[in-house]
Amino acid sequence: QVQLVESGGGLVQPGGSLRLSCSASGFAFSSISMSWYRQAPGKGREFVASISSGGSMTTYENDVKGRFTISRDNAKYALFLQMNSLKSEDTAVYYCNSGGFGQGVLGSWGQGTQVTVSS
């Protein structure tokens, strides 16, 4: 059974930082490119960042490039997103899933973790 469990979200002031975690199970995690996605209020789910299966390549949505860093620990079946210099427009529910570098998304999504950036 595929499981994706996001954690680490919360309320933070503009300019602050958060580190999101994703615990994965039920599929060949170490051989699959992974991504973070987010969905802001009233908006559709959008791509944030991707990392190749071995972690050697990463890509980012233009608005987060230079502020966010995606990483993974295959031995721990975990995906991370370090978010620095947060802005109010980063407010969204953040999700992890497969994707990027030619990899399609899995059919199952987790509950996501809420990130709220506000003074």
Side-chain angles (χ1 to χ4, degrees):
Q1 177 68 33
V2 172
Q3 284 192 301
L4 298 165
V5 182
E6 301 91 347
S7 62
L11 175 64
V12 64
Q13 294 184 332
S17 298
L18 284 173
R19 181 176 171 84
L20 306 185
S21 297
C22 170
S23 177
S25 63
F27 62 98
F29 181 79
S30 63
S31 65
I32 293 177
S33 298
M34 296 293 294
S35 295
W36 285 97
Y37 306 84
R38 66 186 180 186
Q39 186 167 16
K43 302 297 181 95
R45 183 178 287 120
E46 69 172 0
F47 162 79
V48 175
S50 292
I51 186 167
S52 60
S53 60
S56 62
M57 296 182 289
T58 58
T59 60
Y60 298 89
E61 190 273 329
N62 287 335
D63 292 341
V64 309
K65 188 174 183 179
R67 299 188 297 118
F68 291 10
T69 302
I70 188 171
S71 62
R72 66 193 297 162
D73 186 338
N74 285 344
K76 297 180 179 179
Y77 312 99
L79 181 73
F80 306 98
L81 185 68
Q82 178 66 48
M83 305 185 295
N84 299 325
S85 302
L86 284 162
K87 305 174 181 179
S88 60
E89 51 262 49
D90 295 318
T91 295
V93 178
Y94 284 70
Y95 302 88
C96 63
N97 208 321
S98 59
F101 303 99
Q103 178 67 55
V105 298
L106 296 170
S108 180
W109 293 82
Q111 292 296 113
T113 186
Q114 176 72 52
V115 172
T116 302
V117 185
S118 180
S119 299

